[in-house]
């Protein structure tokens, strides 16, 4: 019965779209290019989300987006991120407690 309840997913692709043409060129140039695979999967998963479907593993989708952002921003994946370098030191909390209002 569950087979009847699930919707079949069909993705229509316009081969003349500039994105599809560029992905095809990059895939033909290097069949093992991980960024092309990530872009194709992002395209598919984004289509799923915009069509109202849910993702089987949203964490993988998020990780893929972060990899693509790093690639687009030319951030080296292997470089250690010194996140706290530009952060000011934390201010010490008052002995009397927090300045925020307590809510019941």
């Amino acid at each position: 019965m569950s087979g009847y309840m699930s919707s079949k997913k069909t993705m229509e692709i316009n081969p003349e779209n500039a994105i599809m043409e560029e992905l095809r060129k990059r895939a033909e140039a290097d069949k093992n290019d991980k960024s092309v695979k990530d872009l194709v999967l992002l395209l598919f998963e984004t289509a799923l989300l915009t069509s109202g479907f849910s993702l089987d593993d949203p964490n993988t989708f998020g990780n893929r987006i972060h990899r693509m952002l790093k690639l687009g921003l030319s951030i080296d994946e292997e470089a250690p991120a010194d996140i706290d370098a530009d952060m000011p030191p934390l201010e010490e909390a008052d002995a009397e407690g927090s300045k925020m209002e307590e809510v019941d």
Side-chain angles (χ1 to χ4, degrees), residues 1-17:
M1 187 77 166
S2 65
Y4 295 109
M5 300 297 284
S6 64
S7 298
K8 184 176 178 181
K9 299 169 184 78
T10 304
M11 182 174 175
E12 295 182 14
I13 297 174
N14 177 3
E16 296 174 0
N17 182 284

Side-chain angles (χ1 to χ4, degrees), residues 19-31:
I19 294 172
M20 298 311 299
E21 287 180 359
E22 186 62 28
L23 285 173
R24 182 184 50 78
K25 288 177 191 175
R26 290 185 184 199
E28 288 174 352
D30 183 5
K31 302 244 185 244

Side-chain angles (χ1 to χ4, degrees), residues 60-75:
T60 302
F61 179 72
N63 291 336
R64 192 172 289 120
I65 287 177
H66 287 135
R67 277 196 309 272
M68 291 293 102
L69 285 170
K70 287 180 180 180
L71 180 67
L73 296 171
S74 300
I75 298 174

Side-chain angles (χ1 to χ4, degrees), residues 34-70:
K34 187 176 180 181
S35 65
V36 172
K37 181 179 178 183
D38 278 343
L39 287 169
V40 169
L41 288 170
L42 274 177
L43 185 65
F44 175 71
E45 290 171 339
T46 303
L48 281 176
L49 290 173
T50 57
S51 297
F53 292 98
S54 60
L55 299 177
D56 293 334
D57 188 7
N59 289 330
T60 302
F61 179 72
N63 291 336
R64 192 172 289 120
I65 287 177
H66 287 135
R67 277 196 309 272
M68 291 293 102
L69 285 170
K70 287 180 180 180

Side-chain angles (χ1 to χ4, degrees), residues 72-88:
L73 296 171
S74 300
I75 298 174
D76 187 11
E77 189 82 21
E78 301 298 323
D82 192 10
I83 297 171
D84 296 332
D86 297 331
M87 298 293 292

